[in-house]
Amino acid sequence: MGCLFSRRRKPAQGGQLPPAQQAGAEQDAATSEQKAPQYSWDLRAKIDPKDYTFSGLKNETVGRLPGKVAGQQFVIQDCENCQIYIFDHSATITIDDCVNCQIFLGPIKGSVFFRDCKDCKCVVACQQFRTRDCRKLEVFLCCATQPIIESSTGMKFGCFQYYYPELALQFKDAGLSIFNNTWSNIHDFTPVSGENNWGLLPETAAVQDYVPLPSSEELKAVRVSTDATKSIIPITRGRRQKNSDESCLTVFFAGDYTTANARKLIDEMASKGFQLVQTKEVLMKAEDAHRVFQQSALEFIPLLEKGPVVALEFNGDGAVEQCRSTVNEVFSGTKVFVSESKASASQDVDNFYNFADMQMGM
């Protein structure tokens, strides 16, 4: 019966192959080495968990510069009296057992979870925000979904306000829209009858009074501004009581300058004393347009195929007239939906934001 394996040829004298065969064998080995497969996991830079962790620190100022986290997960734990700055986007961040810390967290694609923390002041941008067993956190927040607190007390929230040159691109890399911010729509998972576990920071609250600019030489290289007018996130009133019973809905449709146009209108209206209540960026379909824009729907339906719309609610006496006037003057070549009258504007706002909240599962 024949053997399944061929026998190896015995080497020539002294265990050496003849010169020609020896050269051929060496060539084959070199070729084999060159053709060895390379896998994606071989090419990836090795990740050291220590680069993505701050643990057991006390009385220190630490941080990560733009580009140093690059979408990885990050862990912050057991820190006391520290100033911590993550000037980059990340996948998720957990903060455990931190006391009396001041923390800035750049855009987080997924969730940020605070557990067993107390007396901390934070600036946070994320998809999901959650706390458990925390006490006295003050947070300037941008959150795409409804923030949730659980078994937590003394929580205070304000609207995210921050700027540095790389921040806008980091929001994009994290898949977050600067117009989707439900910072004041808090859900208390464990409410206590007769008590309120959370509230809002004063309207006059300035972020630098809570989380100061970094003092270390390395982190000073990040050109941070806490000027509210420069904030990447438009500052909104959220669920604070409105100053007027008149609001106006304005909707910009997808195009090359949608974000710039929306920011321009926000600046124009703010300069005239009107307040931005809420903003939203969301995809719409034809049936949604009929529900929201009603008689004007047919005019705007063709624009919906280009991408998401950006909606703004302004509040103040005369908001509708001023908004229509500004849009006509500044955006005369651009199709924009603006409420027609004070009488219809309230319904416009309700129609749009009820639709948007359903779309986003709020």
Side-chain angles (χ1 to χ4, degrees):
M1 187 172 177
C3 180
L4 292 176
F5 301 97
S6 59
R7 293 184 181 180
R8 293 172 56 187
R9 296 179 61 178
K10 290 184 180 179
Q13 311 147 351
Q16 295 294 322
L17 289 170
Q21 289 186 33
Q22 180 72 21
E26 290 171 358
Q27 180 62 42
D28 289 345
T31 303
S32 176
E33 243 181 69
Q34 289 173 0
K35 291 182 178 178
Q38 285 188 309
Y39 300 101
S40 58
W41 50 84
D42 293 327
L43 301 174
R44 276 190 313 205
K46 300 301 181 187
I47 292 175
D48 186 345
K50 291 180 182 177
D51 292 336
Y52 305 95
T53 304
F54 289 134
S55 180
L57 304 180
K58 193 169 184 178
N59 303 318
E60 292 192 44
T61 295
V62 294
R64 290 289 181 266
L65 294 171
K68 294 300 183 181
V69 179
Q72 297 294 328
Q73 298 181 14
F74 210 97
V75 174
I76 301 170
Q77 59 189 14
D78 300 309
C79 295
E80 185 176 352
N81 300 322
C82 289
Q83 293 183 353
I84 299 170
Y85 305 85
I86 307 296
F87 290 127
D88 206 358
H89 68 103
S90 57
T92 62
I93 295 184
T94 55
I95 302 97
D96 292 329
D97 300 290
C98 289
V99 178
N100 195 33
C101 290
Q102 296 154 333
I103 302 171
F104 172 85
L105 302 178
I108 302 161
K109 186 172 186 175
S111 63
V112 60
F113 200 175
F114 287 82
R115 297 177 293 199
D116 299 289
C117 296
K118 63 181 181 180
D119 298 312
C120 291
K121 297 174 172 60
C122 313
V123 182
V124 179
C126 58
Q127 175 74 19
Q128 298 174 319
F129 177 92
R130 188 165 183 176
T131 71
R132 190 175 68 205
D133 299 315
C134 292
R135 182 166 61 84
K136 290 183 68 177
L137 299 192
E138 296 173 317
V139 186
F140 289 84
L141 179 63
C142 174
C143 187
T145 56
Q146 187 174 30
I148 295 174
I149 65 172
E150 180 181 358
S151 303
S152 299
T153 60
M155 311 291 289
K156 294 289 180 67
F157 295 90
C159 182
F160 181 103
Q161 46 184 279
Y162 220 77
Y163 170 85
Y164 53 87
E166 299 86 354
L167 188 54
L169 184 57
Q170 291 173 2
F171 265 89
K172 187 176 180 181
D173 287 340
L176 300 178
S177 167
I178 63 171
F179 297 109
N180 289 336
N181 185 10
T182 61
W183 66 271
S184 63
N185 185 17
I186 311 298
H187 175 67
D188 187 351
F189 199 72
T190 51
V192 178
S193 180
E195 296 182 20
N196 197 351
N197 293 321
W198 66 275
L200 302 182
L201 290 169
E203 284 186 62
T204 55
V207 68
Q208 69 271 13
D209 295 337
Y210 293 77
V211 180
L213 298 182
S215 56
S216 73
E217 289 303 317
E218 178 190 30
L219 297 174
K220 282 181 181 178
V222 182
R223 291 180 289 152
V224 172
S225 172
T226 56
D227 181 346
T229 63
K230 294 182 178 179
S231 177
I232 290 293
I233 297 296
I235 297 176
T236 55
R237 288 187 65 76
R239 296 205 163 191
R240 297 187 194 281
Q241 186 172 351
K242 297 176 183 178
N243 290 339
S244 168
D245 63 354
E246 181 177 347
S247 279
C248 179
L249 178 70
T250 304
V251 179
F252 288 91
F253 297 88
D256 293 337
Y257 305 105
T258 306
T259 298
N261 287 345
R263 297 303 299 253
K264 175 68 173 172
L265 182 60
I266 291 169
D267 291 344
E268 291 282 339
M269 293 294 284
S271 70
K272 295 175 173 65
F274 295 93
Q275 295 186 313
L276 182 65
V277 177
Q278 56 182 332
T279 65
K280 193 72 76 177
E281 183 171 12
V282 66
L283 287 165
M284 295 184 74
K285 299 177 182 176
E287 57 265 32
D288 305 323
H290 284 291
R291 186 187 320 162
V292 173
F293 305 132
Q294 299 186 6
Q295 293 89 347
S296 307
L298 292 178
E299 179 184 354
F300 299 112
I301 285 174
L303 304 176
L304 301 179
E305 296 177 359
K306 296 180 179 180
V309 303
V310 172
L312 314 172
E313 178 192 351
F314 295 101
N315 182 260
D317 293 341
V320 173
E321 182 181 349
Q322 185 59 61
C323 204
R324 292 184 67 83
S325 171
T326 303
V327 167
N328 287 335
E329 289 174 17
V330 181
F331 309 103
S332 56
T334 304
K335 279 203 171 187
V336 184
F337 173 86
V338 185
S339 296
E340 289 190 1
S341 67
K342 178 181 176 180
S344 65
S346 178
Q347 192 62 51
D348 291 339
V349 169
D350 288 344
N351 286 344
F352 182 86
Y353 285 99
N354 288 338
F355 146 74
D357 288 346
M358 285 190 294
Q359 285 291 98
M360 303 186 75
M362 298 290 289

